[in-house]
Amino acid sequence: MSGLGTTARDYAASCPGATIAEGLAVRGEEVRDAGAAVGTWLRRIGLPAS
């Protein structure tokens, strides 16, 4: 599997009325090195990155 697949669509169907924001896909083998990508994503969606 790559990316988020149908996750956003599945969440939207399961949670009517919810706001589904942009997600971030990180593969298991990349978790240890994903800090910069996570920080960039958090800033892009308007959350503080620590």
Side-chain angles (χ1 to χ4, degrees):
M1 176 196 228
S2 64
L4 295 173
T6 62
T7 302
R9 185 180 68 211
D10 296 343
Y11 283 1
S14 299
C15 306
T19 300
I20 309 296
E22 173 189 347
L24 174 68
V26 178
R27 290 184 289 209
E29 66 272 12
E30 297 174 351
V31 168
R32 289 186 183 178
D33 299 320
V38 171
T40 299
W41 171 73
L42 287 171
R43 285 186 293 280
R44 188 169 55 245
I45 65 170
L47 295 174
S50 36

